[in-house]
Amino acid sequence: MASEEEDSTVLNRPAAKKYEIAYQAHPEPSNPKERAREPSSRPVESIASFGFVQGILWANAGFGKLRDRPELDDVDPRYEPTVIKTNCSKATLDNKYLSTLAGEDWTPKQPPSRKTTFPSALDYHEAYKSGRLTPTQVAEALMPLIRRDVENATQHSIAFLSTRVDLVRKAAEESTARWKAGKPFSPLDGVPMAVKDEEDLTGYTKSLGSKLDFTSKTDATSYCVQKWIDAGAICLGKTAMHELGMDTTNNNPNFGTPRNPYNENYYCGGSSGGSAYSVGAGLIPFAMGNDGGGSIRIPSAYCGLYGLKTSSGRVSIRPSSNLAKSTGVAGPIAANMVDLELAYRVMAQPDSLHNESSLFMAPASVQANQAGRKKVLGVYRTWFDRADASIQKVCWKALDYLTSQLGYEIVDISIPLVHEGQLAHAMTILAEVASGIPSVKEVTSPNKVLISVGKQTPAVDFLQAQKLRNLLMQHLAHLYEQHPGMIIVTPATPNAGWHIHPNDLKYGCSDANTQVRNMEYAWLANFAGCPAISMPAGYVDPVESDGKVPIGLMGMSEWCCEDELVAFGYDAEKWLHEGLEGGRPRPQNFVDVLALAQA
């Protein structure tokens, strides 16, 4: 009998084609920097009001460089990067999926070093199963920490936009009753989690971190969030995000900016920074993030966590709208790899009412699919070497461990037009978001600039960007055909975090040069639609302060191969706990929720 893998069909995969285009270094970007400005300041208002100023900034960003490129002459534009591995006979979700998860032996997937790590969902599961704790006790211990509507709000509450106490208590009581009856829904039953404000959640408003109202008129819950709730997880509420998801710091003058749990002088990263903080501070084992240009992976790297950017179209957010339709996806941010796998496998169940998600096969156990996995890592050294020396040192130590101890092989690869590709991605996502924001009057100064500039993109340049998307996807298809099972590895970011300038916290900051630098490696997975994972690889000393700054390693696999990335993540977790000198430290602002609940 043929296996499920042999029966599968891949839809929309680009034709494999190798493009040999010599690397050409680009000049460093020279975008203007704005900080510590009143929202009504004259320079910002000029940009938002006068098209010729916006046009100058658009050209200064380099977006016009995609014109008259002979490499793109014979390439058709591709407007979406969704590639689907499907088995139509099995695409409809088995109703017993949660019971299948509950029946698996998850014990071997616990982090290797239990004493120095973050509590996982399985630790909550064991505490409830033994009767040592109840979900209600955990919820009651957490709510005073995360509520911002109380007189003595804690430093943790700034990571949460809102918490409905009545809904949290109701979910906790129902989970406690299930555990008392010995009938939990899944390994996630009673485990606390939170949702980025980019998704819909019944009983909550949605603002995308802005002063605008994006709340669903139907009071809906996004499908992927509902899957976590159906599994019994307790939603603590909405987490903070960078306004409209338009930068990678998570600086938010509207609702406040959470500081990095490892070092409060650094940003958490964005735009899923509230979710990353809540996991990084130990409040919850996993949270929902969204990623249009690194917004899951960058905050995961900054906060020393695991983050999975899923394949384009795989995870349904129905009926939520997506401002960045061709680049943005939902995915989990997690404290440990077992949390990442559990959260991903539950949220990525096919949605029969979603055109793309309905065709994907339900995620399977990594143990079941990865027995004979080829351990090949692709490195584009010219691109890799653009990272800061300290970042390269940390990442190469992790890669040396993977090759010397765990049987991985490194192959040299090349990827054409990486700098032009980043411009094409930036132009695309800015234009997509700008089309969904009719007026910039109510947004902060930095986003007045970004959205106004995004609205200046001519159709011919947008089409050139989509041609380059197709070229890159074709070349990636060639690489994955040449090296089956290969994971392309880079640093998650080329820099060690983002240091906070105190004046930025009140009015925000528009620092496009640092933003572009920060997204050096993250953009490709979004533009090409491939899944990618960020994993903690080590730590470096900060600038002028105490504590550590986490460094992330990123892997990008072929379309629909999240299982291979999860297996890779488990191997990288061994490096963190068994190979890295000193192991994995807990952050300065860590909360031991299980101990707190028991006390």
Side-chain angles (χ1 to χ4, degrees):
M1 181 180 294
S3 68
E4 182 175 306
E5 188 73 18
E6 291 170 341
D7 288 340
S8 65
T9 300
V10 179
L11 307 176
N12 303 327
R13 192 178 194 275
K17 184 175 181 180
K18 181 179 181 181
Y19 288 88
E20 294 187 354
I21 302 173
Y23 176 85
Q24 184 175 0
H26 272 212
E28 293 302 315
S30 56
N31 299 289
K33 180 187 296 186
E34 287 286 337
R35 66 162 27 109
R37 299 274 188 175
E38 291 283 357
S40 60
S41 65
R42 184 169 296 176
V44 171
E45 291 303 314
S46 297
I47 293 170
S49 303
F50 299 108
F52 76 92
V53 179
Q54 299 162 12
I56 291 172
L57 291 178
W58 187 93
N60 186 69
F63 292 143
K65 293 180 180 179
L66 299 185
R67 290 196 182 189
D68 303 320
R69 298 292 307 220
E71 303 94 336
L72 302 178
D73 287 348
D74 298 321
V75 182
D76 291 330
R78 177 160 180 162
Y79 304 101
E80 50 72 33
T82 304
V83 178
I84 302 171
K85 183 179 289 186
T86 185
N87 183 332
C88 293
S89 64
K90 296 183 179 181
T92 301
L93 180 65
D94 187 343
N95 291 329
K96 298 181 179 179
Y97 189 82
L98 290 180
S99 61
T100 300
L101 282 178
E104 288 185 27
D105 180 12
W106 291 90
T107 306
K109 296 182 177 180
Q110 275 279 31
S113 178
R114 298 287 296 280
K115 293 181 180 180
T116 59
T117 191
F118 293 59
S120 74
L122 299 186
D123 291 307
Y124 285 85
H125 186 90
E126 292 169 7
Y128 301 152
K129 186 176 181 180
S130 68
R132 180 166 54 91
L133 285 175
T134 68
T136 293
Q137 288 175 297
V138 168
E140 293 297 337
L142 279 166
M143 281 190 287
L145 298 177
I146 66 173
R147 291 178 61 182
R148 62 163 59 208
D149 61 340
V150 295
E151 185 175 350
N152 297 313
T154 75
Q155 63 181 332
H156 307 295
S157 65
I158 201 169
F160 284 78
L161 291 183
S162 57
T163 296
R164 284 281 304 272
V165 174
D166 56 334
L167 298 179
V168 174
R169 283 183 172 147
K170 183 175 183 293
E173 289 167 0
E174 291 173 349
S175 178
T176 297
R178 288 192 296 272
W179 277 104
K180 186 175 181 180
K183 296 181 179 179
F185 286 156
S186 79
L188 296 184
D189 206 329
V191 179
M193 58 83 176
V195 177
K196 183 183 180 182
D197 192 36
E198 199 162 337
E199 303 301 344
D200 289 309
L201 185 61
T202 299
Y204 289 82
T205 59
K206 182 172 74 172
S207 67
L208 300 181
S210 73
K211 294 181 179 179
L212 304 173
D213 187 4
F214 294 92
T215 308
S216 168
K217 295 180 180 179
T218 60
D219 195 25
T221 293
S222 301
Y223 177 88
C224 54
V225 177
Q226 189 62 52
K227 291 297 101 180
W228 284 355
I229 294 172
D230 291 345
I234 299 172
C235 183
L236 298 180
K238 288 289 195 79
T239 56
M241 61 179 286
H242 202 105
E243 184 186 63
L244 304 178
M246 293 288 281
D247 207 337
T248 59
T249 59
N250 214 73
N251 179 304
N252 191 310
N254 296 319
F255 301 104
T257 302
R259 309 293 190 97
N260 193 297
Y262 277 93
N263 192 312
E264 65 178 13
N265 296 298
Y266 283 75
Y267 286 113
C268 287
S271 60
S272 307
S275 290
Y277 177 91
S278 60
V279 177
L283 301 173
I284 51 179
F286 65 94
M288 184 70 69
N290 296 79
D291 193 318
S295 288
I296 287 173
R297 291 159 291 153
I298 291 172
S300 295
Y302 277 8
C303 294
L305 303 170
Y306 298 87
L308 181 64
K309 181 266 170 196
T310 54
S311 294
S312 174
R314 177 156 212 162
V315 174
S316 170
I317 64 171
R318 180 187 60 82
S320 300
S321 59
N322 189 346
L323 285 179
K325 179 64 175 68
S326 78
T327 54
V329 299
I333 294 174
N336 306 286
M337 275 307 304
V338 68
D339 303 312
L340 193 79
E341 183 184 355
L342 274 166
Y344 160 67
R345 287 177 59 187
V346 171
M347 73 186 297
Q349 297 172 55
D351 178 2
S352 62
L353 299 181
H354 188 276
N355 290 339
E356 297 163 344
S357 170
S358 62
L359 296 175
F360 281 90
M361 294 184 290
S365 171
V366 167
Q367 288 176 320
N369 282 352
Q370 301 301 325
R373 180 170 59 97
K374 293 183 179 180
K375 295 186 173 184
V376 180
L377 304 177
V379 176
Y380 182 20
R381 294 181 186 266
T382 302
W383 196 28
F384 196 109
D385 291 347
R386 283 180 54 81
D388 293 348
S390 60
I391 308 301
Q392 293 186 47
K393 183 178 179 180
V394 168
C395 290
W396 275 114
K397 281 186 176 180
L399 293 174
D400 289 343
Y401 176 88
L402 291 168
T403 54
S404 64
Q405 301 298 317
L406 299 181
Y408 281 86
E409 172 194 2
I410 289 180
V411 297
D412 288 324
I413 62 170
S414 65
I415 301 173
L417 303 175
V418 288
H419 298 301
E420 292 83 355
Q422 186 174 4
L423 284 173
H425 164 266
M427 185 198 306
T428 299
I429 193 170
L430 277 177
E432 288 181 337
V433 173
S435 71
I437 309 296
S439 172
V440 299
K441 290 182 179 179
E442 297 300 321
V443 302
T444 56
S445 298
N447 279 340
K448 279 184 169 69
V449 175
L450 288 173
I451 294 172
S452 298
V453 171
K455 289 179 181 291
Q456 294 298 306
T457 301
V460 65
D461 295 283
F462 188 85
L463 288 171
Q464 287 294 96
Q466 309 321 304
K467 287 184 176 183
L468 183 48
R469 187 205 296 263
N470 196 13
L471 181 151
L472 288 165
M473 292 181 69
Q474 289 177 341
H475 186 81
L476 290 173
H478 156 73
L479 291 176
Y480 289 125
E481 196 173 86
Q482 186 179 25
H483 304 287
M486 179 180 66
I487 295 172
I488 297 174
V489 291
T490 63
T493 64
N495 51 327
W498 192 324
H499 197 265
I500 297 174
H501 188 289
N503 291 346
D504 295 347
L505 298 180
K506 187 173 183 179
Y507 299 120
C509 172
S510 178
D511 186 354
N513 295 336
T514 304
Q515 181 184 17
V516 169
R517 171 73 171 156
N518 205 30
M519 297 168 63
E520 173 93 27
Y521 304 112
W523 66 270
L524 180 58
N526 298 95
F527 204 43
C530 294
I533 188 172
S534 176
M535 307 153 292
Y539 308 84
V540 297
D541 293 327
V543 176
E544 299 178 355
S545 59
D546 297 326
K548 290 292 184 181
V549 178
I551 303 301
L553 178 70
M554 188 170 68
M556 185 182 79
S557 72
E558 185 173 358
W559 303 275
C560 313
C561 290
E562 282 88 345
D563 293 348
E564 294 179 2
L565 288 179
V566 172
F568 177 54
Y570 277 118
D571 284 341
E573 190 173 41
K574 293 177 182 176
W575 152 252
L576 190 66
H577 290 277
E578 299 175 356
L580 179 65
E581 184 178 354
R584 185 187 192 186
R586 281 180 171 174
Q588 294 177 342
N589 290 343
F590 186 83
V591 178
D592 190 336
V593 173
L594 292 173
L596 186 65
Q598 194 161 8

